[in-house]
Amino acid sequence: MRQSSLVVVANRLPLDDNAAPDGACEWRRNPGGLASALHAILAPTPATWVGWAGGVGRAPALPDVGSLRLRPVSLTEDDLRGYYEGFANSTLWPLYHDAVQQPVFQRDWWETYRTVNQRFADAAAEVAEEGAAVWVQDYHLQLVPRMLRDLRPDLLIGFFMHVPFPPPELFMQLPRRVELLRGMLGADLVGFQREQAAHNFAQLARKLLGAEATDQTVAIDGRTVRTGAFPISIDVAEMRALVTRPDVVSQAKQLRHDLGQPKRVLLSVDRLDYTKGIEHRLTAYSELLRDGYVKVRDTVMVQVAVPSRERVESYQELRDRIEGEVGRINGEYGRVGEPAIHYLNQPFGRAQLAALYQTADVMVVTPLRDGMNLVAKEFVAAREDGSGALVLSEFAGSAAELEQAFLVNPHDVDGLKETLLRAMQADRADLAARMAAMRRHLAGHDILVWARAYLSALDDTGHLATLTGVAPG
Ligand code: ADP
Ligand code: F6P
């Protein structure tokens, strides 16, 4: 068994479901923030990534991707239902996102969640060399840090929560709240997107475990677990390189032409998820059309909504509702050859996404709750010429950093309409000043800065940061 000094453990391998193990395996990012974020750091690093390859049954043997080894974890049909679709995505996901959708508490899911977490912990223990650092990701694997510590006390264990960590009044609803909290506290460092999350965690550690806890440390079982906020970011250099590529520039021009050379293009890019606020946005846009503030010939809205978690009922229902509403809006306000909304329910390559970001005049990112939202950052990074407006939900983690966006409460449909209009009508100088400030922030806070901050906090000798190539040169 080949072992590594750095092991990443995440629900998914950074490949999409169709990446066939035919020898021609390459980084093919699945849509979603986690793979996008870690791609930049791990592609050039000698490490092992433990994760699910998608699908059910025996996990395929996957070849290395550059210097990164892939260690697939297999899931059965029952595992998929109880662990991924059940406890992770029907209990934890809605609860952690302000319960914008009713969380489902089904008792038998817990046992599957625990068993699958143990399988991930066993796999990580197997591929980690003596004294290695193991970095566990996200709400799917909250029990892994403790399981891993029991198996391998020699390891340095990090945990990072990519999604919001809820306030006590929500977390307290969880039937298995103590186990979940204890699971995370198996780590040496627990990282969150926002300081508020670290604060919530400390409150819960005091309340549920009687631990001595501040927003920076939790003392438990004779150990001190460090906590903190490490807002994740994007590969700014990658986006810059993409948007200056001649083929991407001409793709963007072609897109605008195909859209009928409108005065304004509004763009949204989301996973098709009820946390993303797509329905509220459609309502706002449809009312702007109804009331004559927006004319179909002048303005075009493009909604990219890539399919996600398609076997989960709430996602199927959401898709039906959204597609019904897009159909209604197009039926009512579109003309022959001029739909009011271009709805694209497909995955795109990075270059295609970059071209879309370049085509947009107003990027509309209005989740009801989001841990960070990388799409907002990708849009800002894509605007090399400093133009374009970003309408951003106050409830996205990125709003704390992109303060010059047109910030909005997406639950307030009237406020949303008013903000969309303000963004559409803003003068160039105002937009340029906002964009310049956001781009400055992003230039100093890219994905490497995030990784450096987290890994240096996990291992203050600097060894890990050097190993991954994220240490300052
Ligand atoms: P989440 O993690 O909830 O999916 P984020 O906005 O943080 O939300 O991350 C989404 C990531 O998925 C971004 O990197 C974005 O570029 C990518 N993405 C979104 N839509 C698509 C799509 N249709 N095709 C490919 N990638 C997509
Ligand atoms: O950030 C939350 C998250 O679960 C990520 O782990 C993942 O990249 C994204 O959402 C997509 O979700 P899924 O892996 O369920 O397709």
Side-chain angles (χ1 to χ4, degrees):
M1 170 56 55
R2 293 187 302 172
Q3 293 188 317
S4 298
S5 52
L6 174 65
V7 177
V8 168
V9 192
N11 172 55
R12 271 185 200 277
L13 290 171
L15 305 166
D16 67 24
D17 295 355
N18 305 321
D22 59 7
C25 183
E26 54 180 30
W27 278 96
R28 292 211 291 165
R29 272 186 244 181
N30 33 52
L34 197 144
S36 293
L38 292 181
H39 167 262
I41 312 157
L42 290 177
T45 301
T48 299
W49 184 312
V50 176
W52 171 49
V56 289
R58 233 179 110 80
L62 296 170
D64 296 354
V65 183
S67 59
L68 183 70
R69 289 176 198 152
L70 303 179
R71 165 65 165 86
V73 173
S74 62
L75 295 183
T76 64
E77 181 63 34
D78 284 350
D79 294 337
L80 199 62
R81 289 194 186 283
Y83 152 76
Y84 173 73
E85 294 169 358
F87 198 76
N89 284 317
S90 300
T91 305
L92 296 178
W93 178 268
L95 190 79
Y96 286 10
H97 289 84
D98 286 357
V100 294
Q101 173 92 21
Q102 182 65 36
V104 181
F105 300 111
Q106 190 173 311
R107 275 180 285 173
D108 57 331
W109 288 344
W110 170 254
E111 196 43 40
T112 316
Y113 181 82
R114 211 192 52 72
T115 310
V116 173
N117 269 244
Q118 188 66 59
R119 197 174 306 149
F120 275 83
D122 292 344
E126 201 179 284
V127 298
E129 65 184 40
E130 178 71 22
V134 181
W135 194 5
V136 184
Q137 314 288 326
D138 234 351
Y139 62 102
H140 313 87
L141 301 176
Q142 270 175 244
L143 304 180
V144 170
R146 171 155 298 273
M147 291 170 165
L148 204 49
R149 181 163 299 282
D150 290 344
L151 288 166
R152 292 282 307 271
D154 59 297
L155 300 175
L156 189 60
I157 303 171
F159 180 82
F160 189 79
M161 185 66 103
H162 291 256
V163 301
F165 190 75
E169 54 273 26
L170 283 174
F171 192 84
M172 292 298 283
Q173 291 182 19
L174 276 171
R176 298 299 185 143
R177 57 202 187 186
V178 170
E179 287 101 317
L180 287 163
L181 213 53
R182 282 201 159 272
M184 291 164 78
L185 284 165
D188 293 289
L189 174 67
V190 178
F192 298 98
Q193 303 278 23
R194 314 256 335 239
E195 274 164 20
Q196 182 61 47
H199 180 69
N200 295 344
F201 188 70
Q203 274 187 299
L204 281 159
R206 283 195 293 269
K207 194 176 169 82
L208 284 174
L209 307 177
E212 241 177 68
T214 68
D215 292 1
Q216 290 81 36
T217 55
V218 179
I220 185 103
D221 302 339
R223 298 166 45 240
T224 299
V225 179
R226 284 165 299 129
T227 64
F230 302 87
I232 202 166
S233 194
I234 59 158
D235 188 348
V236 174
E238 182 215 33
M239 188 52 77
R240 283 220 170 121
L242 276 174
V243 292
T244 47
R245 252 169 51 182
D247 60 314
V248 174
V249 174
S250 61
Q251 224 185 102
K253 285 202 182 115
Q254 184 64 42
L255 268 169
R256 193 139 192 137
H257 175 263
D258 294 346
L259 290 170
Q261 302 288 11
K263 275 199 206 142
R264 270 181 241 102
V265 176
L266 271 65
L267 172 69
S268 291
V269 175
D270 309 278
R271 267 185 317 100
L272 213 165
D273 195 296
Y274 49 79
T275 59
K276 302 291 182 182
I278 302 172
E279 292 179 283
H280 295 63
R281 191 186 300 152
L282 291 178
T283 304
Y285 194 63
S286 139
E287 290 186 13
L288 288 175
L289 286 164
R290 182 196 65 196
D291 299 340
Y293 290 109
V294 169
K295 298 266 185 289
V296 165
R297 190 155 294 163
D298 297 343
T299 306
V300 162
M301 179 172 186
V302 179
Q303 172 69 64
V304 175
V306 64
S308 184
R309 305 175 189 164
E310 291 175 273
R311 301 194 333 172
V312 178
E313 203 177 310
S314 50
Y315 285 75
Q316 292 165 355
E317 289 167 2
L318 174 76
R319 182 171 176 170
D320 288 348
R321 289 199 304 273
I322 287 177
E323 294 187 350
E325 185 59 6
V326 169
R328 185 193 68 77
I329 296 172
N330 280 335
E332 211 156 313
Y333 303 105
R335 296 153 179 260
V336 174
E338 286 180 341
I341 299 177
H342 292 253
Y343 173 72
L344 300 160
N345 191 228
Q346 326 154 14
F348 288 104
R350 302 301 296 166
Q352 287 172 303
L353 280 174
L356 275 165
Y357 291 141
Q358 270 189 316
T359 310
D361 299 296
V362 181
M363 185 80 208
V364 190
V365 184
T366 53
L368 303 177
R369 173 61 74 192
D370 211 329
M372 175 53 62
N373 197 289
L374 297 182
V375 165
K377 292 188 173 182
E378 288 171 356
F379 172 71
V380 170
R383 306 305 292 209
E384 277 289 289
D385 67 356
S387 68
L390 173 63
V391 173
L392 180 60
S393 164
E394 291 166 10
F395 298 103
S398 46
E401 296 174 80
L402 304 176
E403 292 166 343
Q404 297 78 9
F406 291 85
L407 294 177
V408 68
N409 169 6
H411 298 272
D412 169 12
V413 174
D414 290 328
L416 185 50
K417 286 160 65 181
E418 187 261 324
T419 309
L420 286 173
L421 283 178
R422 266 201 307 129
M424 283 190 255
Q425 291 161 1
D427 66 59
R428 276 177 191 222
D430 178 24
L431 292 179
R434 289 169 183 260
M435 189 53 82
M438 292 192 287
R439 286 176 63 80
R440 260 196 312 279
H441 174 84
L442 213 51
H445 297 84
D446 69 356
I447 187 69
L448 295 179
V449 172
W450 171 75
R452 190 180 299 146
Y454 184 88
L455 294 174
S456 320
L458 179 59
D459 163 31
D460 55 16
T461 66
H463 171 68
L464 252 182
T466 308
L467 178 77
T468 49
V470 300

